[in-house]
């Protein structure tokens, strides 16, 4: 089941980052019973891999802040954990086994 | 700025070279992301102060505002925010974390392999 939050995350990141690629994976079920998702039904835990030229010249903290800012509304409504892999197109091309 | 929670955070990160805001304790982490950062710091033989945000709702909300960062864990070195679990993991794997700690004068004693 693809949740609504995953779709909103994708839309928000596409609008904010103009990414070359963005992949959103819902990990919530793997965290059932953990903090933030006690009954396993929540849309709480996600992994995002985004490739965007906007990350160029930005450090790791600055890159994640761009994503956090774009997703502020989601954090305010129960998004609990976000695992982020954020690359420029150049870095993505250079890294072995780049995923889309 | 006279926010007592911010003042406590500022005092902690000023007085302690390495501070990890985390869920649970170093011995008993209550979250996989916090556990991973603890594991990395312990692997590197880095002494750190762990602050269990679950014990203190004021700090739990306050550290997110203080850092302008929405998630826990959060690692501070010499008063500077380094990052959360992803960033610490990436920096550990690339060797940047050891470089940063050494440059900041923090003792790193990796276990002999």
């Amino acid at each position: 089941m693809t949740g609504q939050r995953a779709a909103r995350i994708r839309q928000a990141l596409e609008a904010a980052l103009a990414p070359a690629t963005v992949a959103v994976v819902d990990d919530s079920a793997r965290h059932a019973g953990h903090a933030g998702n006690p009954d396993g039904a929540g849309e709480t835990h996600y992994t995002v891999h985004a490739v965007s030229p906007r990350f160029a010249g930005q450090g790791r903290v600055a890159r994640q802040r761009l994503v956090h800012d774009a997703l502020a509304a989601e954090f305010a409504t129960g998004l609990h954990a976000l695992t982020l892999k954020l690359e420029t197109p150049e870095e993505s091309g250079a890294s072995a086994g780049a995923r889309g | 700025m006279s926010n007592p929670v911010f003042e406590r955070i500022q005092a902690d990160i000023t007085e302690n070279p390495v501070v990890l805001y985390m869920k649970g304790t170093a011995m008993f982490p209550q979250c996989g992301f916090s556990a991973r950062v603890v594991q990395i710091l312990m692997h590197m033989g880095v002494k750190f102060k762990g602050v269990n945000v679950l014990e203190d709702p004021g700090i739990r909300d306050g550290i997110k505002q203080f850092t302008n960062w929405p998630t826990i864990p959060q690692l501070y070195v010499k008063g500077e925010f380094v990052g959360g679990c992803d960033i610490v993991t990436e920096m550990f794997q690339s060797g940047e974390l050891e470089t940063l700690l050494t440059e900041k004068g923090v003792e790193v004693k990796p276990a002999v392999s």
Side-chain angles (χ1 to χ4, degrees), chain B residues 2 13 25 27 34 39 45-47 57-58 61 63 68 89 92:
Chain B
S2 65
I13 64 174
T25 64
M27 288 296 287
S34 290
Q39 198 177 19
V46 172
K47 289 195 181 114
D61 290 333
I63 191 64
N68 184 26
T89 302
F92 170 66

Side-chain angles (χ1 to χ4, degrees), chain B residues 10-27:
Chain B
Q10 188 63 55
D12 261 341
I13 64 174
T14 304
E15 290 161 15
N16 301 279
V18 182
V19 182
L20 179 64
Y21 291 88
M22 62 177 292
K23 292 181 178 173
T25 64
M27 288 296 287

Side-chain angles (χ1 to χ4, degrees), chain A:
Chain A
M1 181 184 80
T2 302
Q4 294 182 350
R5 196 193 297 279
R8 290 199 305 271
I9 288 174
R10 168 182 286 279
Q11 283 168 6
L13 295 180
E14 283 175 347
L17 301 173
T21 65
V22 56
V24 180
V25 178
D26 185 344
D27 301 322
S28 302
R30 291 201 298 121
H31 294 271
H34 294 187
N37 193 10
D39 59 6
E43 296 184 310
T44 52
H45 291 66
Y46 292 83
T47 296
V48 170
H49 180 195
V51 177
S52 168
R54 300 274 168 85
F55 297 138
Q58 307 263 21
R60 288 189 174 88
V61 169
R63 290 179 186 195
Q64 292 209 1
R65 283 210 166 105
L66 288 173
V67 171
H68 294 159
D69 288 348
L71 300 180
E74 303 300 330
F75 278 106
T77 55
L79 173 58
H80 180 77
L82 204 52
T83 296
L84 296 174
K85 183 173 174 66
L86 308 175
E87 298 175 303
T88 64
E90 291 73 21
E91 292 163 351
S92 178
S95 72
R99 288 152 286 173

